[in-house]
Amino acid sequence: MSLLAPSVSAVVVAVLAGSGAARAATSGSFDILTMNVAGLPAILQSNDVPGDKATNAGTIGSDFAKYGYDVINVQEDFNYHAYIYATDNHTYRTATSGGAAIGSGLNTLANFDWIDFTRIGWDQCSDASGSDCLTPKGFTMMRTKVDSGVYVDMYNIHADAGTETGDETARNSNLQQVADYIDTWSTGNAVIVFGDTNSRYTRTADNIGIFASQNGLTDSWLRLERGGVVPTVESLCDNPSTTNDCETVDKVFYRGNSIVSMDATYFNYESSKFVQADGDILSDHNPISVVFAWTLSSSLRQSDFWGGPHGTWFSDLPTLNSHSKPKASILTFRGGSRLDSVGLTLTDGTTFVHGGTGGTQAQLTLGASEYWTSAILCQGQKSGQTRNFYIKATTSSGNTLAAGTSTSDCATLSAPAGWQIVGFVGQDGDEMDQLAFVFAPQ
Ligand SMILES: *[C@@H]1O[C@H](CO)[C@@H](O)[C@H](O)[C@H]1NC(C)=O
């Protein structure tokens, strides 16, 4: 965590998924950093940063270790990547996608593990100014596990640069692409987008407001430094910036979901922490840190995930959100050599089904005061990919329902005491690739 930021804490120590009824934390906080590390080859681009780029990259890495931000998104992490990782010590780090002309320059260094990491290239680029098409830029997404049952989809982005018409057209397309991806792959989820948008509110053709209008994200700078008022006049930052009032193209947008509320409590241009031995800057961008406070809902929560990162994202949360007292009355699973589908019907007739139509159906009707409280999931390999092979549900009355074929790699995912399983989130195809359970109070 950042030395100057509020301390990062968890109220109760969490236990890992698969260990039965989890006494997980119900609130906490974490900090993030976004930094364009100016790592294009020196021969192509000095980035107006003095000094030796390899030495500077090593200093950036040791500052990452020193300040210990929980999740760091870097952009332009091209040809000096190894120097950053050599001096940094974060536990979880993405493997580089390559130097300039090959990779996207996007990497993440974190104290948290994640699932479902994906790199996506832009549909459009423009060489109207600069050479944005020289290297395949784009964005990344990871479903970051902040705590047991607390997931935030974190996006790192580096949009097209420049202010020629072609640049703004490409950038508008880039931002739209991310917004549409969030609608598909982060439905129902908490989200943070942090990276180099190359946009300002005054570059109106970009439509940087799309993250608010389409995805319901809040800009942490607008909220904490500008009272939520969208600027109509450009305000450039010095580097290092001595104020948080000015606007940079590096931005941090966020939203919570029906499981976890999220609030940005601290915003800062961290430039003064990232300087060379002689006080010179390390990047032509001011790095940004934001602290997020999170709190779990008292009406909906979720388990950790089991299975592999394949298939299409689905979530029952948007439907469950409009139910005041959901309770499962019928469980319906399909399975054979693997788990084909999971489903349940709520007492009001609402039905959730995920997966395919293969396998044999198994069904259990619950009594009026009987709740689905726990499930065992077992995973295995099919065609070199991990998916769920087996489910066994247990109710508060001790009844069970199973489908599929058990393996030696299983997890028990239980609702907290006084809670029950009422729905699903995960990824499916014609079988159940990845699965977690949604909990509601009994
Ligand atoms: C990383 O290094 C810093 C000191 O530079 C230290 O305070 C921190 O505990 C280390 N973190 C890990 C995960 O080893």
Side-chain angles (χ1 to χ4, degrees):
M1 70 187 184
S2 160
L3 295 180
L4 295 184
S7 74
V8 173
S9 64
V11 170
V12 180
V13 174
V15 294
L16 293 175
S19 57
R23 274 201 323 122
T26 54
S27 67
S29 68
F30 62 91
D31 61 357
I32 62 94
L33 183 87
T34 182
M35 181 171 186
N36 181 314
V37 295
L40 282 166
I43 194 162
L44 288 181
Q45 169 66 275
S46 74
N47 291 93
D48 301 320
V49 178
D52 173 60
K53 284 205 174 200
T55 307
N56 289 347
T59 307
I60 290 171
S62 50
D63 284 344
F64 287 169
K66 178 176 169 189
Y67 296 109
Y69 304 96
D70 288 312
V71 187
I72 300 171
N73 277 352
V74 292
Q75 306 84 36
E76 262 183 54
D77 179 24
F78 291 117
N79 293 47
Y80 307 92
H81 168 80
Y83 297 95
I84 294 178
Y85 275 22
T87 50
D88 168 74
N89 65 357
H90 280 78
T91 308
Y92 304 98
R93 309 192 295 194
T94 54
T96 180
S97 57
I102 298 164
S104 68
L106 300 174
N107 281 305
T108 300
L109 309 85
N111 296 331
F112 305 135
D113 202 357
W114 59 73
I115 57 172
D116 301 340
F117 177 64
T118 316
R119 294 182 178 276
I120 300 102
W122 295 132
D123 294 337
Q124 268 195 50
C125 61
S126 167
D127 286 333
S129 65
S131 309
D132 288 279
C133 301
L134 166 75
T135 198
K137 297 201 290 189
F139 64 100
T140 65
M141 191 279 261
M142 53 175 60
R143 193 153 288 135
T144 308
K145 184 179 174 178
V146 170
D147 208 326
S148 182
V150 183
Y151 290 84
V152 180
D153 290 354
M154 298 197 185
Y155 289 80
N156 186 8
I157 87 172
H158 193 187
D160 209 277
T163 51
E164 301 294 325
T165 303
D167 302 321
E168 301 206 328
T169 303
R171 192 156 57 241
N172 178 294
S173 163
N174 297 162
L175 300 176
Q176 180 72 56
Q177 192 182 339
V178 176
D180 291 346
Y181 192 95
I182 291 171
D183 278 351
T184 304
W185 290 93
S186 295
T187 300
N189 288 351
V191 169
I192 308 177
V193 176
F194 49 126
D196 180 354
T197 69
N198 270 313
S199 187
R200 300 172 179 280
Y201 285 96
T202 44
R203 296 177 182 173
T204 52
D206 297 0
N207 194 21
I208 186 67
I210 195 167
F211 293 129
S213 61
Q214 184 170 323
N215 306 120
L217 304 186
T218 298
D219 179 340
S220 53
W221 174 76
L222 264 192
R223 174 170 150 70
L224 290 171
E225 307 298 336
R226 288 301 192 98
V229 181
V230 173
T232 53
V233 179
E234 193 171 79
S235 61
L236 300 177
C237 290
D238 291 335
N239 185 11
S241 183
T242 52
T243 168
N244 287 333
D245 190 62
C246 57
E247 181 182 5
T248 63
V249 299
D250 307 277
K251 298 191 181 295
V252 182
F253 301 89
Y254 69 98
R255 76 178 182 201
N257 70 348
S258 49
I259 285 178
V260 59
S261 67
M262 297 233 307
D263 195 18
T265 58
Y266 171 92
F267 176 99
N268 194 42
Y269 293 128
E270 300 279 275
S271 340
S272 59
K273 294 181 185 142
F274 289 87
V275 289
Q276 301 182 36
D278 64 3
D280 268 330
I281 54 173
L282 288 168
S283 166
D284 52 341
H285 290 244
N286 284 291
I288 297 172
S289 178
V290 173
V291 174
F292 290 101
W294 58 268
T295 307
L296 284 182
S297 160
S298 55
S299 51
L300 291 172
R301 293 191 186 166
Q302 74 162 91
S303 72
D304 289 330
F305 291 89
W306 204 246
H310 314 289
T312 305
W313 175 252
F314 64 83
S315 175
D316 294 338
L317 287 171
T319 303
L320 284 165
N321 229 350
S322 56
H323 286 64
S324 61
K325 279 237 136 219
K327 176 195 174 309
S329 61
I330 304 168
L331 311 186
T332 309
F333 304 150
R334 301 188 70 87
S337 42
R338 293 174 299 280
L339 179 61
D340 292 275
S341 82
V342 294
L344 64 78
T345 305
L346 299 175
T347 46
D348 70 358
T350 302
T351 299
F352 302 125
V353 186
H354 306 288
T357 53
T360 307
Q361 178 175 298
Q363 204 162 55
L364 177 69
T365 300
L366 280 65
S369 55
E370 181 181 15
Y371 297 96
W372 180 12
T373 50
S374 180
I376 294 171
L377 289 176
C378 299
Q379 64 187 16
Q381 296 284 311
K382 163 69 177 162
S383 308
Q385 297 190 328
T386 304
R387 41 175 97 163
N388 282 292
F389 277 45
Y390 179 75
I391 188 171
K392 182 182 178 189
T394 302
T395 72
S396 54
S397 308
N399 294 313
T400 61
L401 181 72
T405 303
S406 189
T407 72
S408 59
D409 192 6
C410 305
T412 302
L413 301 168
S414 298
W419 292 59
Q420 53 162 334
I421 297 171
V422 296
F424 311 94
V425 292
Q427 298 193 177
D428 68 348
D430 56 4
E431 296 184 359
M432 296 308 305
D433 296 284
Q434 185 183 70
L435 190 60
F437 301 103
V438 178
F439 305 137
Q442 291 179 8

